[in-house]
Amino acid sequence: MWRVRRPKPFVLVIEGEDVDGQTPPSDYLHEQLLLPEWREAFYELVDATGLVVCLNVHTQHPSYRDVRGRSSKGRLSQGEYYHHDGCTGPVKPRFVEIRCPIQPQTRGVATAVAPHRDVVKAMMQVLAAELPAELAKIAALATHDMSPETLDQMDEAALDHLQGLITRTVRKKLNAEGARSYFRQVDAAANAYFEPWALGESRFIANANSRLTMQHRRAYQAPHTGGVANGHLVKRWTNEELPLPGQVVDQALIAALCSEEGDETESTEGCYLGAH
């Protein structure tokens, strides 16, 4: 029996296993959910749900690596814009696992997660309130009716294209704190999940599937002034980087995905900053 709850329709939170009179596994993620015989069923749960949160996981599995990218007071990092992982390449990871390791310092910066379509709708809604003249220009560029009904019919590629236009407009027209304020409004309008990180928490975010594709971003919930001690995150693309017996990791794919994770430059290569 597992202790689970569903705080939002697209979120399932697993707190651990109820074991009568026994000590539950300290690393139930690897010792149970990701065992070869159960792994695909767990992956399908992530695909179908959108976001699966595993709390109280004590693990030091070697496959995790530090999350790259840093934010500054003067401008947003790429991680602060809503994005998919692997957005610039033809192959995207099935999902991304982001983890807050057990560490002395707590994590004070949220990670907002929401369904891709809801994010784009919210970006349109907030832009209409904040920069209506710029929205009119975007609508002309996109040559699309911008009604919610039309957004409901768009495929992922069209949503990506429209989102890129909106994101670049926000980036050009608003200063850093104005853009952060804009995205805080988007978080609320999209009904995003941005609960504070717990130490020992892993979040599995559906990143590329036909059922429910999610997006995520680093979300400062107050003006970013810098100089505040903050716990760090680690990540992996579990489906691609944690092979089953007999499988081999595609190192070229992993290298290509890692290459787009560095600090933001003035380049417009990334899908949420550059052309589609």
Side-chain angles (χ1 to χ4, degrees), residues 160-181:
D160 274 339
H161 177 74
L162 178 58
Q163 184 176 31
L165 295 173
I166 299 171
T167 298
R168 292 196 302 279
T169 299
V170 168
R171 187 173 181 242
K172 290 175 183 177
K173 297 297 180 180
L174 298 175
N175 62 22
E177 284 311 309
R180 290 185 176 111
S181 174

Side-chain angles (χ1 to χ4, degrees), residues 63-253:
S63 58
Y64 296 102
R65 63 188 179 281
D66 285 340
V67 170
R68 299 184 186 180
R70 296 292 180 267
S71 301
S72 71
K73 291 181 287 184
R75 66 179 183 182
L76 277 65
S77 73
Q78 288 189 3
E80 290 184 73
Y81 299 95
Y82 272 104
H83 64 283
H84 312 284
D85 269 29
C87 60
T88 61
V91 179
K92 298 176 176 60
R94 182 173 179 179
F95 51 80
V96 57
E97 178 191 353
I98 305 176
R99 175 168 177 76
C100 186
I102 294 174
Q103 57 192 299
Q105 179 63 53
T106 58
R107 174 76 177 175
V109 180
T111 298
V113 185
H116 184 204
R117 195 173 304 276
D118 292 351
V119 167
V120 179
K121 286 182 177 180
M123 290 176 70
M124 288 286 298
Q125 175 185 329
V126 178
L127 194 70
E130 297 295 316
L131 295 169
E134 297 304 322
L135 176 62
K137 296 177 187 176
I138 289 174
L141 281 173
T143 63
H144 279 298
D145 168 20
M146 295 296 113
S147 68
E149 293 75 18
T150 299
L151 293 177
D152 281 334
Q153 299 304 314
M154 283 186 179
D155 61 19
E156 290 289 320
L159 287 172
D160 274 339
H161 177 74
L162 178 58
Q163 184 176 31
L165 295 173
I166 299 171
T167 298
R168 292 196 302 279
T169 299
V170 168
R171 187 173 181 242
K172 290 175 183 177
K173 297 297 180 180
L174 298 175
N175 62 22
E177 284 311 309
R180 290 185 176 111
S181 174
Y182 168 84
F183 278 107
R184 282 193 285 272
Q185 294 179 70
V186 172
D187 294 341
N191 191 30
Y193 182 87
F194 51 85
E195 291 298 312
W197 281 96
L199 298 181
E201 173 184 355
S202 278
R203 298 183 184 180
F204 289 83
I205 304 168
N207 186 67
N209 68 60
S210 60
R211 284 180 272 186
L212 186 61
T213 297
M214 310 293 286
Q215 287 192 320
H216 62 283
R217 75 177 196 93
R218 182 188 303 121
Y220 292 91
Q221 295 304 303
H224 178 44
T225 56
V228 178
N230 199 38
H232 74 283
L233 299 177
V234 296
K235 70 179 289 187
R236 66 183 174 187
W237 299 295
T238 314
N239 181 61
E240 289 76 20
E241 294 187 275
L242 196 65
L244 289 164
Q247 291 182 336
V248 177
V249 175
D250 185 342
Q251 296 295 347
L253 170 63

Side-chain angles (χ1 to χ4, degrees), residues 10-61:
F10 58 86
V11 183
L12 182 70
V13 177
I14 301 173
E15 297 185 4
E17 189 181 15
D18 264 330
V19 182
D20 264 348
Q22 301 178 30
T23 303
S26 63
D27 185 2
Y28 67 81
L29 179 60
H30 296 91
E31 294 175 14
Q32 289 180 267
L33 297 180
L34 292 178
L35 286 178
E37 60 266 35
W38 298 113
R39 189 175 301 181
E40 181 57 29
F42 178 65
Y43 287 178
E44 289 179 4
L45 178 65
V46 177
D47 288 338
T49 303
L51 170 63
V52 174
V53 178
C54 294
L55 299 176
N56 308 313
V57 178
H58 295 250
T59 186
Q60 294 182 326
H61 200 279

